[in-house]
Amino acid sequence: EAQGLEKTSIGVLALASSGPIFIAKSKGYFEKEGLDVDLKMFTSAQQVPVAVASGDVDFGVTGLTAGFYNLASKGAVTMIAAQSRDEPGFQLSAYVATKAAHDAGLTKPADLKGKRIAITTVGSTFHYMVGLLGQKHGFTVKDVTMVAMQDVPKMVAAFKGGQVDAVIAPVTVARQLAAEGSGTILGWVGDETPWQLGALFTSPKTVAQRRPLAEKFVSAYLTGLAEYHAAFNAKDASGAVVKGPGYDELLAIIAEATKQKPEVVAAGLPYVEPKGKLLVDDIVNQVKFWQSEGQVDKALDAKSVMDLTFVK
Amino acid sequence: MRLIIKDLCHRYDDLVVLDGIDLTVQEGEVLAVIGPSGCGKSTLLGIAGGIVAPTSGSIAVAGAVPDGCLNPITFIFQDFALLPWRSVEDNLSLVLEHHPLSAAERRERIESGLRRMGLWDFRKALPKQLSGGMRQRVGIARALAVRPAMLLLDEPLSALDAQTRELLMEDFLSLWQRERTTALYVTHNLDEALRLADRVVVLSRRPGRLREIVTIEEPRDQRLEPSAQAHLAEVRDRLWHLIRAEAQLADREIADA
Amino acid sequence: MRLIIKDLCHRYDDLVVLDGIDLTVQEGEVLAVIGPSGCGKSTLLGIAGGIVAPTSGSIAVAGAVPDGCLNPITFIFQDFALLPWRSVEDNLSLVLEHHPLSAAERRERIESGLRRMGLWDFRKALPKQLSGGMRQRVGIARALAVRPAMLLLDEPLSALDAQTRELLMEDFLSLWQRERTTALYVTHNLDEALRLADRVVVLSRRPGRLREIVTIEEPRDQRLEPSAQAHLAEVRDRLWHLIRAEAQLADREIADA
Amino acid sequence: MPDTPLTGTSLPLQDRSPSQPVRFRGGGFTVKGHRWAALLAFVVLIAVWESTNRFGLVSELFLPPPSAVASALAAMAQDGSLWQHLKASLMRIGVGWVMGTVAGMAVGFAMGIGSVARAVGVPLVSAFFPIPKIALLPLFILWFGIGEPSKFATIGFGVFFPTVIATYSAIDSVPRNLIRMAQSFGLPWASILRKIVLPGALPGILAGFRITASIALILVVAAEMIGAEYGIGAFVLTAGNLMLTDQLLAGVLVLSLLGLTIGTVLSILERRLLKWR
Amino acid sequence: MPDTPLTGTSLPLQDRSPSQPVRFRGGGFTVKGHRWAALLAFVVLIAVWESTNRFGLVSELFLPPPSAVASALAAMAQDGSLWQHLKASLMRIGVGWVMGTVAGMAVGFAMGIGSVARAVGVPLVSAFFPIPKIALLPLFILWFGIGEPSKFATIGFGVFFPTVIATYSAIDSVPRNLIRMAQSFGLPWASILRKIVLPGALPGILAGFRITASIALILVVAAEMIGAEYGIGAFVLTAGNLMLTDQLLAGVLVLSLLGLTIGTVLSILERRLLKWR
Ligand SMILES: Nc1ncnc2c1ncn2[C@@H]1O[C@H](COP(=O)(O)OP(=O)(O)OP(=O)(O)O)[C@@H](O)[C@H]1O
Ligand SMILES: Nc1ncnc2c1ncn2[C@@H]1O[C@H](COP(=O)(O)OP(=O)(O)OP(=O)(O)O)[C@@H](O)[C@H]1O
Ligand SMILES: [Mg+2]
Ligand SMILES: [Mg+2]
């Protein structure tokens, strides 16, 4: 069916944050650009840049981890457009305290200093969120104990078992913990420390050798991104998030792609910048943070991990 | 000590191995048992030593035992059955440790046993450092350490090469010259029986039954003289005729068929 | 076929095993080699068969070989060396397969070899299903299947029990009566040598040197007669005196010291 | 005392009592079969396990009862996902195992026969063997991508080294007397290899298969950590992530049965090929 | 043709030439030592590996050169984190292995001597043995929490089953003739167990240790997936997550060296304890 189209592929996670890709694919924006895009689903953010580096896929879109920057520092990947951000008013990730810790006086994010916090892995987005919180409230990650549990469900297990004081949990998990009464939401990362959560990236080799392909891809991506922003990120005068044009149609597309119920998807739709612009200062901060943690090569120039020529 | 076997029968599951054995080993006698492979010789010895429980029949002993006897009925094994992880002297010690002996007495028994078999210089050696003949000498020394009243020997020489076998036969001869320990001696080897035994019992093929008991008149220490040869050759011939056909059949039997 | 050994010496690294052996095995003769353990008998046989390369000296053959001979110098082993995963007939087939024989001729050789040793009914059996004596008979049948000019036998009977050994000696006697294949026969056993050999070579302890060559005058088939016994007992006595001390020393040697 | 048995030490043996029966002192130290004990053990185990749950002694989350595990398994079997998972895993185990085994046997044979190959190979193998393959997963992804090849590689590498070791040890254990016999009958080198060394090494190689098969089974779970949609390992990992312990145990049960099946198949193969032992 | 060797088939043997030397047909099929080959192999391997990187044939990311791995290792050694990781992992391996081994030997002994224990144990062990322990991690977290106990349990369970099998097989392989001998000399049951069965089973038990030690090493990586801050396994997993392939290989190198060290220690132990063999 897709005759004459240029084949390409992208690695994504089955999350609402990949919504713009699902929209662009479903509504044929890639085909309009002459691309036949194969969506490859991954289960962890970690694997997507590796798949780009190994050549399994041409593009990737996920959250930014220390592993991403290490691949970038070896010249294996580069960011070409923004994905989602943590932004005030958008509830993506919450600081959740256990009942016991809450009773003992852990009531606001700033109190997390000195506590045990479950994260997925060292170098994950959760790790950076702890760092950001510290930067805001004057402590470092050395002042907390981070317990690496490999994945969110095991984080939850450790949380419920009372083996940590708090977690930073995705919205659905946080809400469920709160509803069960096993935890208390202390606040939202978007309100506390806005940052550039994710990006669209490819390999520098693709940029150098197949630049027209990358440009066509970004163009279709931005169309999807803008539609997503209009539908899900609109706010009324009071600052509350309201349904924008095409809300239901786009929600159905995302629900189908992520194999989740629309209500669940609707509860965790992140903010995206409509033009795909990266928060360059935050990216620089991320690189500096990982460097200070000793997890990314000190020689890496933060500017070199982004190619800002695709998004004007 | 005498050993009295009465109407002995033995089966392993459905396999009848020994059938109606009546036999007495006299005090001080060396009784050789020959018979084709698998006729139940080892089983008979195991029953005599209380290691195998007979299916039916009785086995009893009577008579005096030597002073200081710790294990009246004592085996000497074809495969020596030494503990490979114990030195020669500790292998002797093994069979004394569970008896209420003083350390000095134990040492004394070990030393006298080893010296008698010419093993004193090898007391610290491990079994693997010894030749087959030496290992069987350790086995004999171990048996002697418990001052047995009766020896049960299950082909004690058949794992040895012919020359060593010749040397050990000389050892047995001098042993029986010194102290007339009663012995039941199982062997395949006619020449061995003719050199060592007072009487030779011939068993039939499985199920083993008594075929014949032959008494050898020549005194043990004169049997190598050329004068005795012609007569012994005749006895040998007679025994060989008794077992030749059965040995042939036993040898032709397919193990798994 | 004759075998001519000239000034043969052999070392394993620094261990001198054979020293200055000069020996000729005559056409049709059975030459027994006796000597204490470790004196180099197996090494000598290995060299004669081209399996061990001698350190110095020469080994050569001369004379006619039988019609259809495929492997003039052929071994018979103490441990039988049968392939456990091949049936009896396939074990014979093994030594014929790499020769340019027609299938019919191969079958014919296997059948005649097996029949001669009374193994035809067991041709489909695996070695594990046979007794030791049967296995050695397969070894003999295998050797005969290549129509050898000369047999090298390395203690062919010492892994067998005494009765089976007796039976196989009868087999060898009839073999040498039928076809006078030259043979070099290594053994520990004086009685075996006295029953089978034309001449007996006595080797000294390691390094093995020729001590003596004894010729046995009695024809092979009369040696069991009582009339021959006295003389044979004397020869036996003489041979045993030659090797007794050395056998004793060899037996006392600690392997690892 | 006419009935005292004889083979003790402290007996009044000097009393010339006419005859005393020989006391039995053998027996024991052999293991007899108990045909039904195994079945009984399983039944008791399952009953106890089920009842701890029924009586609320253990929460279902912590240890789902056998009935829950069974129904989870039944559900999988019914909706066909069991076969899908099994097929995917068996394919990975099969391909990975065959690749690792073929390569391992080739190298093992070289090391079994060639002195130089042995001298070079042994230290390399002993250096690589103890590395947990799971630690190498990120590298395998880089080298072989995230598709099937990296899964085959994980299993194949895990199988390779034990196969090498089993093969060259098996060749070492071929009785040298058989090789000497073959040489003495003038068999050519290639025939000796084919007719003596290969069959003689077979028992050791088959024993190696038993080990590598269980390694392959363990590694399929690790391999399916690399973005696999189907596969018993992937199923178990997902169930673990979702803390669906009944499904988790159903998957574990399948793995256990798979292991038993492979073991049985190998036993049959051994009995067939090694009936000469 | 006076020099033709004799042991062929197609030779003119009838020609009565007075004497022909016997042709040598032995040799081969033995493995001689090559003292320096191993060292040379390592040097060549490392040189080739380094140069592929130097000449830009392979990217540093895909296969970091030995120099990068060495400097990563040196950095770890310098800042002391190597010892911290090693200490944590060795502690887990040690405790987990000892727990699994003690329990396994106890059960194995029971199964080696008792008929009922054997009949019940064998099928249970064969059912549990093939389960990949990594699949059970979520359950272990539920049962033992995320602290050290679940790590000990992971390693301990992995070690337990092979120890059971090794122990009861080892007891089976104690020569029955030695036990008969002991009985014939009237040794009491406990003495037979202590003086015959135990030392006789030691070689098999030690061989089992070799297997369980390598299993423990493999499982420490799996165990340290559960919220471990320090540990070589945790270090390797983190390096994998961060895609720091040079650190990853440095960690793998440490694991490999650890494996070789444990193997060497066991060899020394075997030589000491089993010098009677
Ligand atoms: N524990 C056992 N269980 C079953 N059958 C046995 C057992 N021990 C021996 N047998 C069988 O009983 C028969 C007699 O065995 P036994 O060892 O007493 O014979 P033997 O005369 O000593 O033979 P050999 O001369 O070969 O030593 C043989 O057929 C043997 O296979
Ligand atoms: N391949 C070998 N390498 C090193 N030494 C060997 C080798 N083969 C044999 N020897 C040694 O050479 C000596 C002679 O061995 P050989 O087997 O020829 O003796 P033998 O007379 O046949 O002994 P036995 O009567 O015990 O069979 C022995 O000390 C033996 O340990
Ligand atoms: Mg017997
Ligand atoms: Mg020899």
Side-chain angles (χ1 to χ4, degrees):
Chain A
E1 30 153 345
Q3 277 191 357
L5 296 180
E6 189 176 356
K7 281 202 177 296
T8 186
S9 58
I10 180 166
V12 297
L13 302 184
L15 296 175
S17 56
S18 308
I21 295 288
F22 300 142
I23 293 167
K25 166 90 177 171
S26 168
K27 299 190 78 167
Y29 300 147
F30 287 124
E31 279 177 40
K32 271 195 206 127
E33 294 285 348
L35 301 180
D36 173 17
V37 177
D38 182 21
L39 296 194
K40 288 224 173 104
M41 295 295 193
F42 286 79
T43 50
S44 90
Q46 174 53 40
Q47 294 172 347
V48 181
V50 179
V52 172
S54 70
D56 278 301
V57 290
D58 297 327
F59 300 92
V61 60
T62 71
L64 297 167
T65 63
F68 176 88
Y69 292 108
N70 278 316
L71 290 170
S73 80
K74 303 259 166 65
V77 288
T78 186
M79 287 180 229
I80 54 175
Q83 190 211 18
S84 50
R85 293 181 185 174
D86 255 322
E87 185 75 7
F90 289 89
Q91 300 181 334
L92 283 188
S93 314
Y95 311 102
V96 189
T98 61
K99 197 165 175 309
H102 188 257
D103 292 346
L106 177 56
T107 53
K108 53 185 193 298
D111 296 338
L112 285 170
K113 180 179 181 183
K115 298 293 186 292
R116 281 171 69 83
I117 305 173
I119 60 170
T120 51
T121 60
V122 171
S124 64
T125 54
F126 296 109
H127 184 168
Y128 179 64
M129 291 181 213
V130 173
L132 266 182
L133 188 73
Q135 285 177 1
K136 184 174 173 190
H137 294 293
F139 61 88
T140 71
V141 288
K142 302 264 180 320
D143 295 322
V144 299
T145 309
M146 286 185 298
V147 183
M149 295 303 304
Q150 304 308 317
D151 48 42
V152 172
K154 293 203 191 79
M155 254 162 64
V156 172
F159 180 89
K160 285 187 175 168
Q163 282 137 344
V164 291
D165 301 313
V167 286
I168 301 180
V171 54
T172 42
V173 175
R175 290 242 162 83
Q176 197 187 347
L177 289 175
E180 287 171 9
S182 56
T184 308
I185 295 175
L186 304 179
W188 297 91
V189 175
D191 299 330
E192 203 72 19
T193 57
W195 68 292
Q196 182 67 57
L197 186 59
L200 171 71
F201 47 84
T202 185
S203 66
K205 209 169 99 193
T206 307
V207 172
Q209 295 171 1
R210 303 168 74 190
R211 188 167 179 103
L213 167 82
E215 280 173 350
K216 283 187 267 181
F217 190 95
V218 170
S219 162
Y221 172 69
L222 289 180
T223 312
L225 197 66
E227 248 180 67
Y228 176 99
H229 179 82
F232 302 131
N233 295 156
K235 288 185 176 179
D236 65 9
S238 73
V241 180
V242 294
K243 291 187 182 180
Y247 183 96
D248 292 320
E249 181 202 0
L250 298 190
L251 188 64
I253 290 174
I254 297 173
E256 146 122 52
T258 58
K259 299 202 179 87
Q260 281 179 321
K261 297 201 185 80
E263 317 78 274
V264 176
V265 175
L269 288 162
Y271 177 81
V272 301
E273 201 282 323
K275 297 239 167 51
K277 287 202 181 118
L278 289 158
L279 280 175
V280 175
D281 289 346
D282 180 60
I283 301 290
V284 172
N285 186 50
Q286 288 188 29
V287 172
K288 291 219 174 96
F289 171 77
W290 294 124
Q291 284 172 334
S292 73
E293 284 284 278
Q295 267 138 18
V296 167
D297 191 350
K298 297 268 190 305
L300 175 64
D301 173 13
K303 292 274 176 5
S304 73
V305 305
M306 303 173 265
D307 187 335
L308 301 175
T309 60
F310 287 86
V311 175
K312 302 279 151 30
Chain B
M1 197 157 80
R2 278 177 300 141
L3 181 78
I4 305 121
I5 300 170
K6 278 212 189 100
D7 196 27
L8 187 76
C9 297
H10 191 74
R11 272 189 285 115
Y12 290 113
D13 299 319
D14 288 339
L15 188 78
V16 181
V17 171
L18 289 172
D19 191 18
I21 305 286
D22 275 298
L23 190 65
T24 299
V25 188
Q26 297 300 340
E27 176 101 38
E29 171 186 51
V30 177
L31 183 74
V33 178
I34 64 173
S37 237
C39 74
K41 302 183 294 298
S42 297
T43 305
L44 178 65
L45 223 54
I47 292 169
I51 290 299
V52 175
T55 308
S56 71
S58 80
I59 189 120
V61 289
V65 300
D67 278 354
C69 169
L70 297 175
N71 195 51
I73 303 180
T74 296
F75 280 90
I76 291 176
F77 300 89
Q78 173 180 359
D79 55 11
F80 323 140
L82 303 180
L83 300 188
W85 51 85
R86 286 192 176 218
S87 67
V88 166
E89 58 182 358
D90 290 347
N91 261 290
L92 264 65
S93 174
L94 176 83
V95 301
L96 303 174
E97 282 162 7
H98 62 290
H99 291 291
L101 292 179
S102 71
E105 194 178 348
R106 192 155 72 215
R107 264 203 313 278
E108 192 279 317
R109 276 176 185 244
I110 293 171
E111 176 164 351
S112 80
L114 290 178
R115 283 203 190 279
R116 234 188 314 180
M117 297 312 298
L119 289 164
W120 183 243
D121 295 342
F122 299 91
R123 64 190 177 280
K124 300 280 181 213
L126 287 170
K128 70 161 181 185
Q129 296 170 307
L130 304 177
S131 66
M134 301 286 279
R135 285 181 214 174
Q136 190 55 295
R137 284 195 180 92
V138 178
I140 299 169
R142 177 178 61 189
L144 299 182
V146 294
R147 312 252 161 97
M150 161 165 270
L151 283 176
L152 303 180
L153 303 103
D154 193 356
E155 306 188 33
L157 305 183
S158 55
L160 304 174
D161 66 74
Q163 291 168 19
T164 308
R165 207 181 301 150
E166 198 82 29
L167 293 170
L168 268 167
M169 265 194 276
E170 297 175 1
D171 288 345
F172 278 128
L173 285 171
S174 71
L175 172 71
W176 279 309
Q177 195 132 24
R178 237 182 1 237
E179 46 214 304
R180 299 192 50 84
T181 316
T182 316
L184 192 56
Y185 189 108
V186 163
T187 180
H188 270 117
N189 193 321
L190 283 177
D191 296 310
E192 247 170 79
L194 291 175
R195 285 275 293 284
L196 299 175
D198 298 305
R199 287 192 297 160
V200 180
V201 171
V202 182
L203 290 185
S204 69
R205 280 181 74 218
R206 194 182 61 225
R209 293 195 185 89
L210 285 190
R211 279 281 302 269
E212 179 122 7
I213 302 186
V214 178
T215 305
I216 303 172
E217 308 287 358
E218 276 79 12
R220 253 197 287 277
D221 54 356
Q222 285 163 32
R223 292 185 193 169
L224 278 182
E225 307 293 307
S227 58
Q229 290 296 314
H231 176 235
L232 284 175
E234 260 161 45
V235 176
R236 191 184 194 288
D237 213 44
R238 188 164 136 229
L239 289 172
W240 181 233
H241 266 89
L242 273 172
I243 57 176
R244 189 181 186 285
E246 312 222 24
Q248 216 157 21
L249 280 168
D251 187 42
R252 301 263 143 155
E253 239 157 38
I254 292 192
D256 280 3
Chain C
M1 197 159 80
R2 278 176 300 141
L3 180 78
I4 305 120
I5 299 169
K6 279 214 186 98
D7 196 25
L8 186 76
C9 297
H10 191 73
R11 273 188 285 115
Y12 290 112
D13 299 319
D14 289 339
L15 187 78
V16 182
V17 170
L18 289 171
D19 190 19
I21 305 285
D22 275 298
L23 191 65
T24 298
V25 187
Q26 296 301 340
E27 178 102 39
E29 171 185 50
V30 177
L31 185 73
V33 179
I34 64 173
S37 235
C39 75
K41 301 183 294 298
S42 296
T43 305
L44 178 66
L45 223 55
I47 292 170
I51 291 297
V52 175
T55 308
S56 71
S58 79
I59 187 120
V61 289
V65 299
D67 278 354
C69 169
L70 297 174
N71 194 51
I73 305 179
T74 295
F75 280 89
I76 292 177
F77 300 89
Q78 172 180 357
D79 55 11
F80 322 139
L82 303 180
L83 300 189
W85 51 85
R86 285 190 176 222
S87 67
V88 166
E89 61 183 358
D90 290 347
N91 261 289
L92 264 66
S93 174
L94 176 84
V95 302
L96 303 173
E97 281 161 6
H98 62 290
H99 291 291
L101 292 179
S102 72
E105 192 177 351
R106 195 156 68 215
R107 263 202 312 279
E108 192 279 318
R109 276 178 184 243
I110 292 172
E111 177 164 351
S112 79
L114 289 178
R115 284 202 188 281
R116 230 186 318 180
M117 298 312 299
L119 288 165
W120 183 241
D121 295 340
F122 299 92
R123 63 190 178 281
K124 300 281 182 211
L126 287 170
K128 70 161 181 183
Q129 295 170 307
L130 303 178
S131 65
M134 300 287 279
R135 285 181 214 175
Q136 190 56 293
R137 286 197 178 88
V138 178
I140 298 169
R142 176 178 63 189
L144 299 182
V146 295
R147 314 252 160 96
M150 162 165 269
L151 283 175
L152 304 180
L153 304 102
D154 194 356
E155 305 187 33
L157 305 183
S158 55
L160 304 174
D161 68 73
Q163 292 169 18
T164 308
R165 207 181 303 148
E166 198 82 29
L167 293 170
L168 268 167
M169 265 195 278
E170 296 175 0
D171 288 345
F172 278 129
L173 285 170
S174 71
L175 172 72
W176 278 311
Q177 197 132 23
R178 237 181 3 237
E179 45 213 305
R180 299 192 48 85
T181 315
T182 317
L184 192 56
Y185 188 107
V186 163
T187 180
H188 269 117
N189 193 323
L190 284 178
D191 296 310
E192 245 171 80
L194 291 175
R195 285 277 292 284
L196 299 175
D198 297 305
R199 288 190 296 161
V200 180
V201 173
V202 181
L203 290 186
S204 70
R205 282 181 71 218
R206 193 182 63 224
R209 294 197 184 90
L210 286 191
R211 279 282 301 270
E212 178 123 6
I213 302 185
V214 177
T215 304
I216 302 172
E217 307 288 356
E218 275 80 10
R220 254 196 286 276
D221 53 357
Q222 285 161 31
R223 292 187 193 168
L224 280 182
E225 308 293 308
S227 58
Q229 288 296 315
H231 176 233
L232 283 175
E234 261 161 44
V235 177
R236 190 184 194 289
D237 213 43
R238 187 165 136 226
L239 288 172
W240 180 233
H241 267 89
L242 274 172
I243 56 176
R244 188 182 187 283
E246 312 222 22
Q248 215 156 23
L249 279 169
D251 187 41
R252 301 262 142 155
E253 239 156 38
I254 292 193
D256 279 3
Chain D
M1 36 185 99
D3 230 306
T4 5
L6 186 100
T7 26
T9 47
S10 49
L11 291 169
L13 287 166
Q14 313 289 10
D15 74 353
R16 296 233 152 231
S17 65
S19 145
Q20 300 172 324
V22 171
R23 182 173 61 95
F24 179 63
R25 45 186 173 169
F29 296 103
T30 49
V31 172
K32 289 157 283 173
H34 289 255
R35 210 172 269 268
W36 299 108
L39 203 68
L40 196 74
F42 269 107
V43 170
V44 168
L45 181 81
I46 287 173
V48 168
W49 177 5
E50 181 77 36
S51 60
T52 53
N53 275 275
R54 285 285 157 90
F55 299 136
L57 296 175
V58 183
S59 111
E60 276 223 11
L61 174 67
F62 274 59
L63 188 64
S67 56
V69 175
S71 70
L73 196 62
M76 279 174 77
Q78 223 153 37
D79 70 7
S81 63
L82 178 59
W83 317 123
Q84 219 165 6
H85 290 307
L86 258 182
K87 220 176 70 184
S89 288
L90 282 178
M91 196 264 291
R92 286 174 193 134
I93 291 178
V95 175
W97 185 85
V98 167
M99 281 174 20
T101 297
V102 168
M105 280 180 59
V107 173
F109 251 88
M111 281 169 62
I113 297 164
S115 298
V116 175
R118 170 76 61 102
V120 171
V122 168
L124 286 180
V125 168
S126 16
F128 281 105
F129 184 43
I131 300 172
K133 300 305 160 292
I134 197 175
L136 294 177
L137 284 186
L139 278 180
F140 285 163
I141 299 176
L142 275 180
W143 295 343
F144 305 108
I146 49 150
E148 295 302 308
S150 61
K151 298 177 185 73
F152 298 154
T154 308
I155 296 172
F157 269 77
V159 165
F160 175 78
F161 293 105
T163 304
V164 170
I165 293 173
T167 306
Y168 81 69
S169 314
I171 290 178
D172 279 357
S173 72
V174 175
R176 295 298 119 165
N177 67 324
L178 294 183
I179 292 173
R180 268 176 74 114
M181 178 276 290
Q183 289 177 331
S184 81
F185 278 100
L187 265 77
W189 189 84
S191 289
I192 294 181
L193 216 58
R194 192 159 49 82
K195 296 176 185 171
I196 317 271
V197 177
L198 189 60
L202 200 60
I205 293 173
L206 283 182
F209 282 5
R210 203 170 271 283
I211 294 169
T212 57
S214 68
I215 289 176
L217 200 66
I218 287 168
L219 285 178
V220 79
V221 178
E224 291 178 357
M225 294 175 110
I226 313 170
E229 198 177 352
Y230 293 109
I232 293 293
F235 174 80
V236 167
L237 291 169
T238 310
N241 282 338
L242 302 176
M243 281 293 158
L244 296 170
T245 44
D246 52 344
Q247 294 201 10
L248 175 76
L249 282 184
V252 164
L253 183 63
V254 173
L255 284 172
S256 160
L257 291 176
L258 203 57
L260 289 177
T261 310
I262 294 178
T264 310
V265 168
L266 280 175
S267 295
I268 294 171
L269 203 69
E270 274 186 355
R271 257 203 305 277
R272 280 273 170 93
L273 290 177
L274 307 181
K275 59 169 178 273
W276 49 268
R277 289 211 298 187
Chain E
M1 33 185 101
D3 230 305
T4 6
L6 185 99
T7 24
T9 47
S10 50
L11 289 169
L13 287 167
Q14 313 290 13
D15 72 355
R16 298 235 152 227
S17 65
S19 140
Q20 299 172 327
V22 171
R23 184 173 59 95
F24 179 65
R25 46 189 174 168
F29 296 101
T30 50
V31 172
K32 288 158 283 173
H34 288 256
R35 209 173 271 268
W36 299 108
L39 204 68
L40 197 73
F42 269 106
V43 170
V44 167
L45 180 81
I46 288 173
V48 168
W49 177 4
E50 181 76 36
S51 60
T52 53
N53 275 276
R54 285 285 158 88
F55 298 137
L57 296 177
V58 182
S59 112
E60 274 219 15
L61 174 66
F62 277 60
L63 188 64
S67 55
V69 175
S71 70
L73 196 62
M76 279 172 80
Q78 227 156 34
D79 69 8
S81 62
L82 178 59
W83 317 121
Q84 223 163 3
H85 291 307
L86 258 182
K87 221 175 67 184
S89 288
L90 283 177
M91 196 264 292
R92 284 171 194 138
I93 292 178
V95 175
W97 184 84
V98 167
M99 281 172 23
T101 298
V102 168
M105 280 180 60
V107 173
F109 252 88
M111 283 170 61
I113 296 163
S115 297
V116 176
R118 169 77 61 103
V120 171
V122 168
L124 286 180
V125 168
S126 14
F128 280 106
F129 185 42
I131 299 172
K133 300 306 158 293
I134 199 173
L136 294 177
L137 282 188
L139 279 181
F140 286 164
I141 296 176
L142 276 179
W143 295 343
F144 306 108
I146 56 160
E148 295 301 307
S150 62
K151 299 176 185 77
F152 298 153
T154 309
I155 296 173
F157 269 77
V159 165
F160 175 78
F161 294 105
T163 304
V164 170
I165 294 173
T167 305
Y168 81 70
S169 316
I171 290 177
D172 279 357
S173 72
V174 176
R176 293 299 119 167
N177 67 324
L178 294 183
I179 291 173
R180 268 177 74 113
M181 179 276 291
Q183 289 178 330
S184 81
F185 279 100
L187 265 76
W189 190 83
S191 288
I192 294 179
L193 216 58
R194 193 159 49 82
K195 296 176 183 171
I196 317 272
V197 177
L198 189 61
L202 200 60
I205 293 174
L206 284 182
F209 282 4
R210 205 172 269 283
I211 294 167
T212 56
S214 69
I215 289 176
L217 201 65
I218 287 168
L219 285 178
V220 78
V221 178
E224 290 178 356
M225 294 175 108
I226 314 169
E229 197 179 352
Y230 294 107
I232 293 293
F235 174 80
V236 166
L237 290 168
T238 305
N241 283 334
L242 298 174
M243 276 297 152
L244 294 169
T245 43
D246 51 346
Q247 293 200 12
L248 176 76
L249 282 185
V252 164
L253 183 63
V254 173
L255 285 172
S256 159
L257 291 176
L258 202 58
L260 289 178
T261 309
I262 294 177
T264 310
V265 169
L266 280 174
S267 296
I268 292 172
L269 202 69
E270 275 186 355
R271 257 203 304 277
R272 281 273 169 94
L273 290 177
L274 307 180
K275 59 169 178 273
W276 49 270
R277 288 212 298 190

